[in-house]
Amino acid sequence: MHPDEIAARRELAACYRIFAMLGWDELIYNHITVRLPDSVTGGEKQFLINPFRLHYSEVTASNLVRINVRGEVVGHSDHPVNPAGFVVHAAIHDGLEGAHCVMHTHTTAGMGVACLQDGLSQSNFYSAQLHGMVAYHDFEGITIHADEGPRLLQSMGGRKAVILRNHGLLSWGSSLPQALAVLWALQRACEVQLATLSMGAPRMIDEATAARCNADSLTFNDDHGGPRDVFDHLVRRVNRIDSSYLDL
């Protein structure tokens, strides 16, 4: 196996374990995908996805499934792939050149905000950092129809934080740590919003202040190193629990 594929597999498997540790898992459902570099694929768009029917805590570097944008398994796998995973993720990996990693969750807080008429409010520290970064896509049912892909890309408009209305949260990034940093901020913004709404009306943040928060934030900046530092610390926490995800 190419060293770049080994590295990608171990990083992605670690991320699945991180999601399980954080409680962002949803039984055997939802997905995190990583596009393999051209050094591995020879230029064809291929990505790694979790094996269907396994919980995130059971994902390892070896059982991740390598597929192309048509959902066809490349090489051998003992596990199937959930069609609801590759349809959306393939559309983003194929349609956005910089989309190295795509993440999707069904957390209670994320789904709660996705089900609100007005969506995410500009009322807390995290939503302010996401100013101008959040897109919305209307619910079209279970995501197994390829024709939804172009509409999703149009809704996203290149924004990295996406609220799938009535459904959940999605993020993408030029690296796995960056996608995680975006999703973490979006998830926290939703959690704080739900806590706020349980107590009363939120106190809104004005546009100028929110825009400044986004400009000043280094949370999503790969060049600063913040996303990588956060990811590495989470990996260390996972390793103290179980490092079997590294197995090849």
Side-chain angles (χ1 to χ4, degrees):
M1 188 181 296
H2 194 287
D4 291 345
E5 182 172 354
I6 292 174
R9 282 178 173 272
R10 286 181 165 162
E11 184 175 72
L12 180 56
C15 193
Y16 275 104
R17 299 300 183 93
I18 288 169
F19 274 42
M21 180 180 68
L22 295 175
W24 292 1
D25 49 336
E26 184 82 357
L27 298 177
I28 60 170
Y29 303 105
N30 293 340
H31 312 279
I32 314 164
T33 57
V34 162
R35 182 177 167 183
L36 288 165
D38 290 349
S39 59
V40 175
T41 68
E44 183 183 0
K45 292 181 179 179
Q46 298 176 2
F47 54 100
L48 297 172
I49 193 169
N50 53 315
F52 192 36
R53 300 176 185 149
L54 296 187
H55 184 259
Y56 281 12
S57 64
E58 299 174 296
V59 172
T60 66
S62 61
N63 64 29
L64 286 164
V65 185
R66 179 172 167 179
I67 61 175
N68 58 29
V69 293
R70 296 177 297 280
E72 299 164 341
V73 174
V74 177
H76 171 76
S77 174
D78 293 328
H79 303 277
V81 172
N82 186 350
F86 72 76
V87 168
V88 166
H89 289 243
I92 297 172
H93 284 296
D94 193 30
L96 295 172
E97 189 60 33
H100 170 73
C101 179
V102 182
M103 302 176 169
H104 173 51
T105 59
H106 283 179
T107 61
T108 299
M111 292 188 72
V113 170
C115 292
L116 290 174
Q117 181 64 40
D118 295 330
L120 188 67
S121 68
Q122 194 169 271
S123 60
N124 66 65
F125 179 81
Y126 298 105
S127 61
Q129 290 185 66
L130 290 164
H131 179 268
M133 292 179 61
V134 181
Y136 292 86
H137 178 64
D138 287 341
F139 186 59
E140 297 189 22
I142 298 174
T143 52
I144 57 174
H145 303 289
D147 65 318
E148 185 177 355
R151 293 189 293 276
L152 172 62
L153 290 171
Q154 184 174 14
S155 297
M156 290 169 61
R159 291 182 288 276
K160 288 185 167 64
V162 186
I163 294 178
L164 303 171
R165 292 193 184 276
N166 309 101
H167 187 171
L169 305 180
L170 183 145
S171 73
W172 67 273
S174 57
S175 69
L176 185 151
Q178 184 187 71
L180 178 59
V182 172
L183 186 62
W184 185 84
L186 184 58
Q187 169 67 19
R188 290 292 290 135
C190 291
E191 291 172 348
V192 174
Q193 181 171 327
L194 261 62
T196 303
L197 291 175
S198 73
M199 297 182 290
R203 179 183 175 86
M204 304 305 292
I205 298 171
D206 65 86
E207 284 291 310
T209 301
R212 190 166 63 250
C213 284
N214 174 261
D216 291 344
S217 175
L218 297 173
T219 301
F220 323 114
N221 189 337
D222 273 338
D223 294 333
H224 172 66
R228 172 57 63 180
D229 291 341
V230 168
F231 178 74
D232 287 347
H233 119 265
L234 289 167
V235 170
R236 291 193 296 272
R237 287 172 58 185
V238 164
N239 285 342
R240 287 195 289 270
I241 300 169
D242 179 10
S243 62
S244 64
Y245 68 88
L246 292 167
D247 294 346
L248 278 169

